[in-house]
Amino acid sequence: MSKLSIRDLEMSGKRVFIRVDFNVPLDGGRVSDDTRIRETLPTLRLAIERGARLVLASHLGRPKGKVDPKYSLAPVAAKLGELLGKPVAFAADCVGADAEAKSKALRNGEVLLLENVRYHAEEEANDPAFAKQLAALCDQIFVCDAFGSAHRAHASVVGITKFVRQSAAGLLMEKELTHLGRAISNPERPFVAVLGGAKVSDKIEVVQNLMKLADAMLIGGAMAYTFLRSQGLPVGKSLVENDKLDLARGLLEEARTRKFRLLLPVDHVLAESPDFSTTKTTDIADTPDGWMGLDVGPRTIAQFSQEISKARTIVWNGPLGMFEKPAFAQGTLAMARAVAAATVAGATSIVGGGDSVAAVEQSGVASQISHISTGGGASLEFLAGEKLPGVEALSER
Ligand code: ADP
Ligand code: MG
């Protein structure tokens, strides 16, 4: 990685501003899932061990630039204190006199959490004066560990880097960049990309970019139907984006001329909408009118799994069906098992995307995947070949 890492920093006795992703779910004023907090612990512990004075900032939810107690990070300070086994101070505003005083009162290894940066509209506007106020809380050292926010040019992610001497990646950020970076710049081959999920329009850039980089692509989920329909196949009431049919047809043509291996489902599990209680499985060509495709079928699962078993690098984004309903989860769960098995056999596997990650967790094989990306939108933009402003802004090593 060409960017500065927290491991490169001299932090003893210095106030270090660390942008984390504590955007956790709250339930009745308590943190109901502390995964995101636990994921930053290695970074925080490293800073503490090195004698830094930690000033932590995050957003939580979408308070739209106004103070809204529903989105207060106060419960997170309590939870973090528990996890670190030491008190965590809290500043009720992320800028201003109180935050400054509290940051100055820190001693080596002590931790201060600032209130939600999105209580100020200047955060999302990347306002320079606001960024400067944030920077005033540290001694010219900024660490970004919020990979999930790196695709947003916000003040606490990008703006602040203009007002500090060093901007480094935290350990979580570094891990994401190393895994995703290797997959798209120097993958072991064959490199197989698996794409699914709700919409072609969400992922079109990812499809285009990975078609350039991968050796094969497997497409399932709702987005497959726009591709199938573009070939004149019957899809019943399955989700099709009619304004994307030309685009889909163009991509399939490109794949054909380049002899790029692009596989679409050959069969599927259908339900008669709107009542999803009766299901049946047919070949795509035999799709009955009025029925909706909600999962890939057994022949598709077998073909896709076969491709996965030959891969040395696998990138997967997007469930292959409506996995939230057990009747339509088989394709996604089978894919999770196939990816896990290939990984055990030596392949490198990366899963990204909020729902895909949830599906893999649900499958019980998550621990066998090489890398589960925490950044939904950010990992998609990265895989689409875009530069992330929050990464670009970090100092070169
Ligand atoms: P990710 O969050 O991993 O990027 P997406 O948000 O793009 O994934 O897609 C996930 C959603 O797609 C899930 O809610 C799932 O139910 C839905 N989905 C997948 N396949 C189908 C399908 N055939 N019909 C309708 N919805 C589907
Ligand atoms: Mg999603």
Side-chain angles (χ1 to χ4, degrees), residues 196-199 202-203 220-223 225 238-239 269 292-296 316-325 328 332 352-358 376 380:
K199 288 191 189 159
D202 285 348
K203 304 197 173 166
M223 69 184 267
Y225 292 102
S238 310
L239 293 179
V269 181
M292 184 176 185
L294 293 163
D295 194 10
V296 291
W316 177 18
N317 171 272
L320 299 188
M322 193 184 266
F323 74 99
E324 298 91 337
K325 293 192 196 290
F328 312 113
T332 303
D355 293 296
S356 316
V357 170
L380 268 187

Side-chain angles (χ1 to χ4, degrees), residues 242-261:
N242 284 308
D243 58 335
K244 294 289 178 289
L245 287 171
D246 288 341
L247 191 70
R249 195 176 298 117
L251 286 168
L252 291 176
E253 253 160 42
E254 186 193 326
R256 253 188 309 267
T257 33
R258 279 180 39 207
K259 297 204 165 44
F260 176 79
R261 216 172 148 65

Side-chain angles (χ1 to χ4, degrees), residues 119-201:
Y119 279 3
H120 295 263
E122 294 90 337
E123 163 66 5
E124 295 185 60
N126 198 15
D127 178 74
F130 177 72
K132 194 174 177 185
Q133 278 184 292
L134 292 173
L137 303 174
C138 73
D139 297 314
Q140 302 271 310
I141 307 179
F142 171 67
V143 170
C144 188
D145 213 21
F147 178 72
S149 300
H151 58 316
R152 308 257 185 255
H154 292 172
S156 67
V157 178
V158 171
I160 186 172
T161 61
K162 301 269 193 317
F163 302 100
V164 297
R165 196 168 47 81
Q166 291 179 301
S167 300
L171 297 176
L172 186 59
M173 176 81 138
E174 190 182 16
K175 193 165 91 183
E176 293 277 3
L177 295 177
T178 306
H179 281 96
L180 294 171
R182 199 183 298 142
I184 66 171
S185 60
N186 189 21
E188 207 184 318
R189 295 186 182 278
F191 172 10
V192 178
V194 187
L195 291 173
K199 288 191 189 159
V200 179
S201 46

Side-chain angles (χ1 to χ4, degrees), residues 328-346:
F328 312 113
Q330 288 320 309
T332 303
L333 295 179
M335 177 55 66
R337 287 192 294 271
V339 173
T343 313
V344 170

